[in-house]
């Protein structure tokens, strides 16, 4: 019984510490009138590494990616009939990087 409490505390601490090693990128893609663009593609490429992820855009124009390393990423947004958007952003540690396009 006396070993259960320390084991629970150690497990809880490990979850808390692991949550602090990544960041989150989220946002919403809309047209000039504020209507969502669910057909948009969001590509996230880690700078300096061969790692690319295409994020799904919901019918409301929102996207979300959790578990990103706190590094720099090239972000490319494309949609048929719209100008391409490219930018570089740093995903902060333990914080949500929120970008609306």
């Amino acid at each position: 019984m006396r070993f259960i409490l320390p084991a629970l505390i150690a497990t809880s601490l490990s979850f808390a510490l692991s949550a602090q090693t990544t960041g989150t990128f989220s946002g919403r893609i809309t047209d000039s009138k504020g209507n969502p663009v669910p057909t948009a593609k969001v590509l996230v490429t880690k700078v300096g590494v061969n790692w690319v992820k295409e994020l799904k855009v919901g019918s409301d124009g929102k996207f979300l990616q959790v578990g990103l390393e706190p590094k720099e990423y090239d972000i490319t947004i494309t949609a048929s009939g719209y100008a391409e958007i490219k930018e570089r952003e740093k995903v902060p540690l333990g914080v949500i990087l929120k970008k609306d396009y």
Side-chain angles (χ1 to χ4, degrees), residues 20-91:
Q20 297 299 319
T21 61
T22 62
T24 300
F25 177 49
S26 74
R28 186 167 187 240
I29 301 173
T30 58
D31 63 16
S32 60
K33 295 179 182 177
N35 299 316
V37 182
T39 59
K41 291 184 180 182
V42 180
L43 288 177
V44 179
T45 306
K46 192 183 303 181
V47 174
V49 179
N50 188 18
W51 183 91
V52 178
K53 174 96 183 216
E54 182 177 337
L55 307 185
K56 293 190 180 220
V57 177
S59 60
D60 56 359
K62 292 182 180 179
F63 62 89
L64 173 70
Q65 178 63 48
V66 298
L68 291 172
E69 288 184 73
K71 300 195 180 272
E72 282 192 324
Y73 294 85
D74 287 328
I75 298 163
T76 305
I77 302 180
T78 58
S80 181
Y82 297 91
E84 181 178 83
I85 298 171
K86 285 187 170 194
E87 64 180 25
R88 183 169 284 183
E89 292 288 339
K90 181 169 182 167
V91 172

Side-chain angles (χ1 to χ4, degrees), residues 6-23:
L8 289 174
I9 291 172
T11 303
S12 298
L13 285 175
S14 68
F15 284 129
L17 291 175
S18 68
Q20 297 299 319
T21 61
T22 62

